[in-house]
Amino acid sequence: MSTLVRAWRGVHWYLRELTGETQYERYLERHAREHPDAPKLSRKEFERRRIAAADAKPGSRCC
């Protein structure tokens, strides 16, 4: 694998982590493992709840 490809994959991974894109994937994995029979949230509903929770507890955000 070339250095350029590895660098791009690293940047791509970092940006997905930074933007929160991977959180839904982790939610699906955990949901399947811990609650296999319960219905899962859609991506849209998951994002709504994630944003609402972040707004309710802003933590160390600047604004």
Side-chain angles (χ1 to χ4, degrees):
M1 182 176 340
S2 75
T3 303
L4 186 58
V5 170
R6 284 195 337 232
W8 169 248
R9 286 183 179 173
V11 169
H12 185 249
W13 172 85
Y14 179 76
L15 290 174
R16 290 185 74 225
E17 289 291 330
L18 186 67
T19 61
E21 189 175 334
T22 58
Q23 289 184 2
Y24 184 67
E25 294 165 6
R26 285 193 293 259
Y27 158 75
L28 291 176
E29 290 170 4
R30 182 175 179 186
H31 188 274
R33 186 175 59 247
E34 296 180 9
H35 310 285
D37 297 331
K40 61 183 178 244
L41 297 176
S42 68
R43 174 102 190 206
K44 192 173 187 177
E45 183 60 27
F46 174 82
E47 292 297 335
R48 283 186 186 146
R49 290 185 184 193
R50 184 176 71 87
I51 291 168
D55 287 344
K57 296 182 181 180
S60 62
R61 292 190 325 204
C62 66
C63 307

